Amino acid sequence: MHSKKALVFAVIGAALVVAAGSAASAQTRLYSPEAEQKAQALLKQMTLDEKVGQLNESSGIVMPGLGGKKPDELIARGGVGSILWLSDSKEINRLQHIALEKSRLHIPILFGFDVIHGYRTVFPVPLAMASSWDPSVEEQAQHLAAQDARAAGIEWTFTPMVDIAHDARWGRIVEGAGEDPYLGAAMARAQVHGFQGKQLGPDSVLVCVKHFAGYGAADGGRDYDSSYVPEELMHNVYLVPFHAAEQAGAGAFMSAYMDLNDVPASGNHWLLTDVLRKDWGFQGIVLSDAFAVGSLVTHGYAKDGEDAAYKAITAGLNMDMASLTYSQHLAQLVKDGKVSESYLDSMVLPILEAKYDLELFEHPYVDESKVDAMLTRPEGLTLERKVAARSMVLLRNENHALPLSKGLKKIAVIGPLADSTRDIEGGWTVEGLFGQGSKSHPVSVYAGIKDKLGPNAEVTLVSGPVPSRIYPGLLDQMAGRKMTPPPTAAETADWIAKTKAAAEDADLVIAVMGETAGMSSEAASRATLDLPGIQQQLLEAAVSTGKPVVLVLENGRPLDIRWASEHVPAILEAWYSGTEGGNAVADVLFGDVNPGGKLPVSWPQTAGAEPLFYNHNLTHEPEDRPGFTSRYWDISSKPLYPFGYGLSYTTFKYSDLRLSKNSIATDGSNEVSVNVTNTGSVAGDAVAQVYIHQRYGSASRPVRQLKGFERIALQPGETKTLKFSLGKDELQFWSPQSKEWVVEPSMFDVWAGGDSTASLHAEFSVTQ
Ligand code: NOJ
């Protein structure tokens, strides 16, 4: 696998027009030439049914409620190209033996699974890892996950999820990198490199970039609902991280479930062929989301199964995940001449190429004797603890409430999540899905604090009733979690009394609150963002005692914490922080790690403010102007905490913002430099951020757009000078008027600082 192509430019008229991609033939091949040769030779020996078989990804388990049976027979007939939802190495080997010993051509199966943020060692959820603003740690984490997964028999992961999310009501916001295309692109590239490595081989795992595309724009934040996204927003925002992943060499994409502008993504020719293959030159595999080909009928897009298979394959979708629609109808479509065999061959080719480059033919089986040792490598937990602490965001710290003293003698740890080991890892855990039970040993926040302080401190736990969803969650169901009814008034009063008593008896209260893991993931959208259950009441009870309270949030989306943001002096956003999460929280609370994470989303005041994102356009009445205003009259139009925000136990000063030129040509580039100084008394990490605004042009441009960032460590008193480049990649946008990528003559504002409200400013012009 090779890294991707250079873009082609042409100066036309006043603006620099940037042609994204060129003919596929002019590009570097995605898979190796050797893999292509072998795949072509194999294709020549394949029957029509065997070709169709490669386009089928079957479920490796019999799913409750979905019927079906084990895929053994189908595999023996050469009818299965890939298997998903199977993580048991023994069973993986059993099925692979059938493929290699019983099927005519002995083509190995490609085993896929949702290895989203770790295998047995579970890393923080992707939204958390994006909060690190450190692509290198995300790459390291995903690399470790890839090694673990591959050793256990998983060769294909359905990650990275690079959907931009503007709306915290959408449960899947937890799986992505938040609202910003630039940060999202950086995290997407890091994940592709982490899983695949420089080149696909026997240790790497093929990625599947999802959900292509526009899934995060679901109406009302309701999962699976239709998205209506104009083309300019697709190009300038939603497609950006996908393109970055593609350019980084991603071998596969997953089509999304929903309608995009009335055409379901899994049958959307514009997306899967015009953009992905023609404009970008993608040569890899497009896999549908689960059952999505069959669902083209449910959407009211395809007449029946045959029509669904036809619409999906001709749109450019190679592989059908779990619906068996291709298996049932594709061969007939070819026999009837509706789909040509040469087109079918072009759909099969990348699947075989990937199998060759992954060296599945040479190394088809898992060495079962080595799996456990690999998955319990101590370096996994060490890295997890580091990544988790790096991902935490300090939202509030009045009067230096944090860090806490290790000399504290009596601490009350409260809240239903405080000692939960099943929630701290988040929803998508390989071994937690399908009721297989997690084999990792997650550390709860309560356990982490107790361990940090040792026997000299008394740490009491008062948990609380685990909040339930009205509708049981998909991941909760898969993990076999039972929903409990809400507590009665008497039970609530009892929990409040216990919480108060524990707080009164303690020197300090640590409240661990948020959402259970299944409340924030697939099919986990919500209409409010309150702390669910009676958590708010418990928090207020603790604060009412007058004892110092620290709030640790364990969640996968911003929540409505307006009350806490005024009444609780210290708030740490820990997210679902993974296997070592409790230890990492303790590291941060007690000052062994100085928090440096930053928000990858604008934190709303309340749910009614969603969708909310910092990079919106100006209105004719900008929001700070008195009088007419486009914003709300009942809440501040500003986020509670802005995009890019996060505190530290030290302070930083940004100064001396300089540009190398006052003016550049449309094909030129400007260099930004800025000094960052640690003005406090402890070492800490700053995340320097650079934003731009194009003042006028062929379209209104966002008030600010992130175009550079770097996380750096600074000793007290130390200053570093950082440099960022503003050239074509940063200045171009897809113009809705000329319908192409342009760099336009205009004035540009530049800001540098520690979040998206940075005030240090400079400007330059772009001329023809
Ligand atoms: C459905 C989800 O939308 C997708 O993200 C996941 O990869 C597949 N199921 C497979 O589990």
Side-chain angles (χ1 to χ4, degrees):
M1 178 152 314
H2 306 271
S3 62
K4 300 311 271 304
K5 59 245 169 188
L7 298 179
V8 181
F9 306 78
V11 181
I12 301 176
L16 174 77
V17 177
V18 188
S22 51
S25 59
Q27 290 162 0
T28 320
R29 283 201 56 76
L30 178 60
Y31 296 109
S32 70
E34 301 73 41
E36 191 200 359
Q37 256 174 19
K38 289 180 187 166
Q40 292 282 16
L42 184 56
L43 252 180
K44 292 208 175 80
Q45 304 171 46
M46 291 169 77
T47 64
L48 177 57
D49 285 341
E50 284 164 344
K51 289 176 187 174
V52 171
Q54 288 302 307
L55 306 185
N56 171 40
E57 179 170 75
S58 275
S59 169
I61 52 161
V62 180
M63 291 181 87
L66 290 168
K69 49 181 181 169
K70 283 262 175 195
D72 300 28
E73 257 174 60
L74 204 54
I75 296 173
R77 276 191 272 129
V80 176
S82 175
I83 292 276
L84 84 159
W85 294 322
L86 195 60
S87 62
D88 172 1
S89 307
K90 216 185 177 88
E91 179 67 358
I92 286 176
N93 273 345
R94 190 184 72 78
L95 295 181
Q96 193 70 294
H97 273 288
I98 301 180
L100 289 167
E101 288 154 22
K102 303 221 168 116
S103 77
R104 192 180 72 92
L105 291 172
H106 320 293
I107 304 174
I109 291 169
L110 179 60
F111 288 90
F113 207 103
D114 293 284
V115 185
I116 310 285
H117 49 106
Y119 194 91
R120 183 168 304 166
T121 296
V122 179
F123 287 98
V125 290
L127 190 66
M129 286 204 267
S131 305
S132 71
W133 288 59
D134 184 353
S136 73
V137 294
E138 174 135 35
E139 183 173 338
Q140 286 170 44
Q142 298 297 39
H143 184 60
L144 194 126
Q147 291 173 322
D148 285 0
R150 190 69 200 258
I154 307 294
E155 298 126 355
W156 194 5
T157 177
F158 308 135
T159 222
M161 190 279 221
V162 304
D163 293 308
I164 296 290
H166 284 171
D167 193 334
R169 292 173 300 175
W170 188 54
R172 303 202 78 170
I173 190 172
V174 62
E175 291 175 58
E179 73 190 37
D180 184 70
Y182 187 89
L183 179 64
M187 293 300 170
R189 278 189 291 269
Q191 297 192 68
V192 174
H193 293 144
F195 275 107
Q196 294 192 169
K198 284 208 173 66
Q199 224 168 317
L200 281 187
D203 299 323
S204 46
V205 170
L206 186 73
V207 295
C208 191
V209 189
K210 68 189 189 185
H211 306 83
F212 198 57
Y215 185 35
D219 273 352
R222 288 177 300 272
D223 207 6
Y224 314 135
D225 218 331
S226 306
S227 295
Y228 291 93
V229 188
E231 205 178 344
E232 58 272 22
L233 207 53
M234 285 302 287
H235 287 300
N236 290 322
V237 177
Y238 288 92
L239 290 175
V240 173
F242 285 98
H243 197 189
E246 192 271 335
Q247 296 236 306
F253 272 54
M254 183 187 292
S255 67
Y257 275 132
M258 79 302 146
D259 280 343
L260 174 68
N261 303 329
D262 288 344
V263 181
S266 298
N268 193 313
H269 188 274
W270 177 79
L271 267 179
L272 306 187
T273 296
D274 296 345
V275 172
L276 184 59
R277 295 188 198 278
K278 291 195 180 145
D279 288 357
W280 299 354
F282 178 66
Q283 298 151 354
I285 305 163
V286 177
L287 169 71
S288 77
D289 203 334
F291 311 103
V293 176
S295 301
L296 294 179
V297 180
T298 326
H299 272 277
Y301 180 59
K303 183 174 158 222
D304 49 26
E306 182 185 314
D307 193 30
Y310 175 80
K311 285 188 162 131
I313 194 101
T314 54
L317 190 141
N318 305 68
M319 194 184 267
D320 170 5
M321 185 195 282
S323 86
L324 296 173
T325 310
Y326 276 8
S327 298
Q328 286 157 12
H329 301 286
L330 262 188
Q332 195 57 46
L333 284 168
V334 175
K335 284 179 200 149
D336 292 347
K338 292 182 182 154
V339 172
S340 74
E341 191 147 354
S342 62
Y343 179 76
L344 190 79
D345 287 354
S346 72
M347 291 280 114
V348 180
L349 190 70
I351 296 162
L352 299 177
E353 288 175 310
K355 290 183 178 186
Y356 280 113
D357 270 345
L358 286 161
E359 297 189 18
L360 298 193
F361 289 84
E362 292 92 331
H363 310 283
Y365 301 113
V366 182
D367 183 343
E368 290 169 43
S369 68
K370 293 201 175 136
V371 176
D372 263 338
M374 185 69 176
L375 299 187
T376 50
R377 287 178 295 162
E379 59 262 42
L381 295 179
T382 311
L383 180 63
E384 203 297 297
R385 186 165 175 170
K386 174 181 156 192
V387 177
R390 257 180 119 67
S391 302
M392 292 177 190
V393 186
L394 183 61
L395 296 178
R396 184 170 151 93
N397 196 17
E398 292 302 290
N399 302 319
H400 306 286
L402 294 177
L404 301 173
S405 155
K406 286 183 194 156
L408 278 165
K409 288 282 171 260
K410 267 191 163 187
I411 295 184
V413 181
I414 65 159
L417 298 175
D419 195 29
S420 169
T421 48
R422 67 190 311 173
D423 293 300
I424 201 157
E425 291 188 328
W428 284 106
T429 60
V430 176
E431 293 179 331
L433 286 180
F434 309 111
Q436 293 174 29
S438 174
K439 292 187 188 131
S440 70
H441 299 286
V443 179
S444 71
V445 174
Y446 170 62
I449 289 167
K450 271 208 323 194
D451 197 51
K452 179 70 76 186
L453 295 181
N456 296 334
E458 194 186 315
V459 184
T460 18
L461 172 72
V462 180
S463 54
V466 177
S468 253
R469 295 173 39 163
I470 298 180
Y471 303 108
L474 186 71
L475 299 183
D476 280 337
Q477 277 174 15
M478 285 181 179
R481 185 171 210 164
K482 300 259 177 314
M483 294 290 108
T484 46
T488 61
E491 285 164 344
T492 301
D494 188 43
W495 280 114
I496 289 175
K498 279 190 206 147
T499 301
K500 261 193 177 167
E504 265 153 12
D505 194 37
D507 304 326
L508 173 107
V509 179
I510 297 176
V512 186
M513 303 202 157
E515 296 179 322
T516 62
M519 287 179 161
S520 185
S521 53
E522 185 175 351
S525 297
R526 48 185 310 215
T528 73
L529 295 174
D530 309 343
L531 285 170
I534 64 164
Q535 294 181 98
Q536 180 70 29
Q537 286 151 276
L538 300 180
L539 184 63
E540 291 184 19
V543 171
S544 73
T545 63
K547 291 293 168 73
V549 178
V550 175
L551 173 61
V552 175
L553 291 170
E554 190 173 306
N555 51 328
R557 54 154 70 86
L559 296 170
D560 185 340
I561 52 164
R562 282 174 293 170
W563 186 88
S565 73
E566 285 178 15
H567 298 95
V568 182
I571 306 176
L572 178 70
E573 174 53 90
W575 308 112
Y576 300 119
S577 46
T579 310
E580 285 286 296
N583 284 331
V585 167
D587 288 343
V588 172
L589 292 183
F590 291 92
D592 289 334
V593 174
N594 187 351
K598 301 280 183 172
L599 290 177
V601 285
S602 302
W603 193 288
Q605 305 267 349
T606 188
E610 297 286 10
L612 181 73
F613 45 99
Y614 80 96
N615 47 2
H616 57 81
N617 287 358
L618 285 162
T619 68
H620 81 288
E621 289 286 353
E623 63 186 287
D624 291 330
R625 206 180 279 173
F628 291 104
T629 174
S630 77
R631 311 290 169 187
Y632 305 108
W633 62 257
D634 52 349
I635 57 166
S636 161
S637 58
K638 301 254 193 294
L640 190 62
Y641 302 110
F643 174 81
Y645 168 87
L647 300 171
S648 164
Y649 297 152
T650 187
T651 46
F652 300 101
K653 186 172 157 233
Y654 291 80
S655 62
D656 208 8
L657 176 62
R658 300 171 303 278
L659 299 174
S660 61
K661 303 181 191 93
N662 292 329
S663 181
I664 61 168
T666 49
D667 60 352
S669 140
N670 213 340
E671 190 177 89
V672 182
S673 55
V674 65
N675 290 352
V676 192
T677 307
N678 181 343
T679 48
S681 53
V682 290
D685 284 7
V687 179
Q689 301 163 43
V690 170
Y691 294 86
I692 65 163
H693 169 60
Q694 178 178 335
R695 287 195 198 156
Y696 50 85
S698 67
S700 301
R701 301 301 300 137
V703 287
R704 285 187 183 204
Q705 290 178 279
L706 180 72
K707 291 297 175 183
F709 67 88
E710 192 175 340
R711 180 167 175 155
I712 48 163
L714 288 171
Q715 294 301 318
E718 187 184 356
T719 298
K720 277 186 184 157
T721 301
L722 301 181
K723 292 192 189 316
F724 301 90
S725 172
L726 293 178
K728 174 205 51 107
D729 285 347
E730 292 75 26
L731 302 178
Q732 68 177 353
F733 73 100
W734 195 89
S735 169
Q737 302 230 53
S738 58
K739 302 213 175 293
E740 56 203 343
W741 290 92
V742 290
V743 176
E744 292 182 337
S746 186
M747 279 304 292
F748 283 81
D749 296 295
V750 181
W751 295 269
D755 65 48
S756 57
T757 65
S759 54
L760 198 59
H761 177 260
E763 61 185 39
F764 69 98
S765 63
V766 172
T767 56
Q768 308 187 187

